[in-house]
Amino acid sequence: MLRQGIAGAVVLIWAAVATAGAQQVKVGIGPDRPSVTVVTEEGPVTITRNQDTGAVLEGDWALTSRECPPFCIQPMVPADGVTPIGELELLDLLEGGEAVVIDSRTPDWFSGGTIPGAINIPYTEIADRLGDLGCEPDFDGWDCAGAKEVALFCNGLWCGQSPSAIRVMVGLGYPAERIRYYRGGMQSWRLLGLTVISP
């Protein structure tokens, strides 16, 4: 009888420990990387993942099928020489401050939520804004010898805004090897539960 009582108590204690442990689940970026802090115009922002392991995408971000055209699956490399990247590489760029991260969506999308540290240069304005990225105007258009390292993104795998911007940039002389393309965009960013800010 005493053994059954002790065994029952052990089971109850184990259940309580398991429940307490389940409530303390940590959803990190990587095993040794719980968060990333980036510098933004508004000050430092810490990027983490949503700690709710039951969280799901809702609304437009949960859609799997959009009419094509215009919402067709985008190529991994939108222009020869451009490097595609994922979330970890983008986080490294944001954390290190070594590249300008560009949200190439229209302002209405940008104001609805973006990646911390990103600036908004809509794909419709990129041809006129290369001066913001280290290019100098010259008689033939742009001299991009001093072009900055950049990473562009838009809404996701089906969004053509950043691929269009990248092709315009390369066509105007921006060095393709200085361009990174985060193809997953906001849909993948949100799918992973990463921090989104509304400027």
Side-chain angles (χ1 to χ4, degrees):
M1 189 70 124
L2 182 59
R3 283 188 183 169
Q4 288 177 334
I6 292 173
V10 168
V11 167
L12 288 174
I13 291 170
W14 180 83
V17 169
T19 302
Q23 292 170 349
Q24 295 177 0
V25 171
K26 299 291 182 200
V27 181
I29 291 169
D32 297 321
R33 193 176 192 187
S35 65
V36 169
T37 300
V38 299
V39 177
T40 71
E41 291 180 0
E42 292 80 29
V45 174
T46 300
I47 297 173
T48 60
R49 291 182 65 198
N50 186 337
Q51 296 299 297
D52 178 1
T53 58
V56 295
L57 289 181
E58 296 177 356
D60 288 341
W61 302 110
L63 294 174
T64 62
S65 302
R66 293 168 170 83
E67 288 186 24
C68 169
F71 304 110
C72 301
I73 297 171
Q74 297 300 308
M76 189 64 82
V77 179
D80 288 342
V82 171
T83 303
I85 60 172
E87 293 76 22
L88 296 178
E89 293 82 8
L90 184 60
L91 286 165
D92 288 342
L93 292 174
L94 286 164
E95 188 175 39
E98 57 199 64
V100 178
V101 177
I102 301 169
D103 183 334
S104 60
R105 301 175 300 159
T106 54
D108 55 329
W109 280 106
F110 178 75
S111 64
T114 192
I115 294 171
I119 64 166
N120 186 219
I121 302 180
Y123 75 105
T124 55
E125 298 176 14
I126 197 74
D128 298 323
R129 306 251 327 251
L130 293 185
D132 297 345
L133 304 174
C135 297
E136 297 287 336
D138 70 7
F139 293 111
D140 296 324
W142 292 99
D143 174 2
C144 292
K148 299 175 182 179
E149 298 282 336
V150 296
L152 284 81
F153 69 91
C154 51
N155 277 324
L157 311 169
W158 45 270
C159 180
Q161 294 175 77
S162 50
S164 293
I166 289 168
R167 287 189 284 272
V168 167
M169 292 171 72
V170 171
L172 293 173
Y174 208 95
E177 64 274 6
R178 295 188 192 161
I179 301 174
R180 308 286 179 270
Y181 171 42
Y182 173 42
R183 181 175 175 252
M186 290 306 299
Q187 189 165 27
S188 293
W189 189 265
R190 288 177 183 271
L191 177 66
L192 291 171
L194 290 161
T195 302
V196 173
I197 61 168
S198 295

